[in-house]
Amino acid sequence: MNFLQDFFLNKLVISALSSWFIAQLLKTIIYMFITKKFVIERMVGSGGMPSSHSATVCALLTAVGYNYGPSGFEFAMAIVFALIVMYDAMGVRRETGNQSRVINEMIELLEKLGGNISAEEKLKEFVGHTPIQVLAGAILGILIGIFVCNVV
């Protein structure tokens, strides 16, 4: 088989990529339902419900567990990778989003007060995730990983 065929038949890759895509699709639909606006950026953007980062790494972790078992180095690497990604999504990246929100509000206030401050573009506020968003992404990823490993 050739490289691309092997790559796209790899259940680890299928699990991770399909989980990312489904999480991004759900994120876009949920955002549209809440705001009544379709924003295409939600299909590739970070932040929001569910966490596509968590879904991706948990689908990968689940597929690694199915294919290599929990006692090998592959599973150990996958679980450490997943924990780091999910911790970062809830910690540093979430704080960055909170800080962006405050800075955007400060700029708006200064502009209203007649200040000579003008931002060319607002900072992105959807950067990180709440613990619930990370948990939802993790559950989604695990379920998709199980599905791919058992059905596909």
Side-chain angles (χ1 to χ4, degrees):
M1 288 192 182
N2 66 29
F3 177 82
L4 285 177
Q5 188 176 5
D6 289 346
F7 180 78
F8 286 109
L9 291 175
N10 184 324
K11 289 190 179 190
L12 280 69
V13 172
I14 294 169
S15 295
L17 293 181
S18 60
S19 187
W20 173 84
F21 179 78
I22 291 168
Q24 289 297 122
L25 185 63
L26 286 172
K27 186 184 303 190
T28 304
I29 291 167
I30 291 169
Y31 185 83
M32 187 172 62
F33 180 76
I34 292 171
T35 65
K36 309 289 188 254
K37 291 186 275 185
F38 176 72
V39 178
I40 192 69
E41 191 269 336
R42 299 307 316 139
M43 271 306 291
V44 293
S46 58
M49 172 67 108
S51 166
S52 58
H53 290 85
S54 296
T56 303
V57 296
C58 285
L60 179 63
L61 174 63
T62 302
V64 167
Y66 262 82
N67 284 278
Y68 300 103
S71 63
F73 77 91
E74 298 92 342
F75 189 79
M77 289 176 61
I79 198 165
V80 169
F81 176 65
L83 291 172
I84 290 170
V85 168
M86 291 187 296
Y87 177 81
D88 183 64
M90 285 188 302
V92 175
R93 293 179 60 249
R94 184 174 176 206
E95 247 342 278
T96 301
N98 291 339
Q99 291 171 1
S100 296
R101 191 173 304 108
V102 170
I103 291 169
N104 286 336
E105 289 172 5
M106 289 170 57
I107 290 172
E108 283 181 26
L109 179 63
L110 288 171
E111 286 175 342
K112 285 179 185 176
L113 294 173
N116 199 10
I117 295 177
S118 173
E120 290 185 27
E121 191 174 317
K122 287 183 83 170
L123 297 173
K124 289 186 180 184
E125 296 177 10
F126 280 115
V127 181
H129 296 283
T130 65
I132 296 295
Q133 292 169 340
V134 169
L135 178 63
I139 292 169
L140 176 65
I142 291 167
L143 293 174
I144 291 171
I146 291 170
F147 176 81
V148 168
C149 289
N150 286 308
V151 177
V152 176

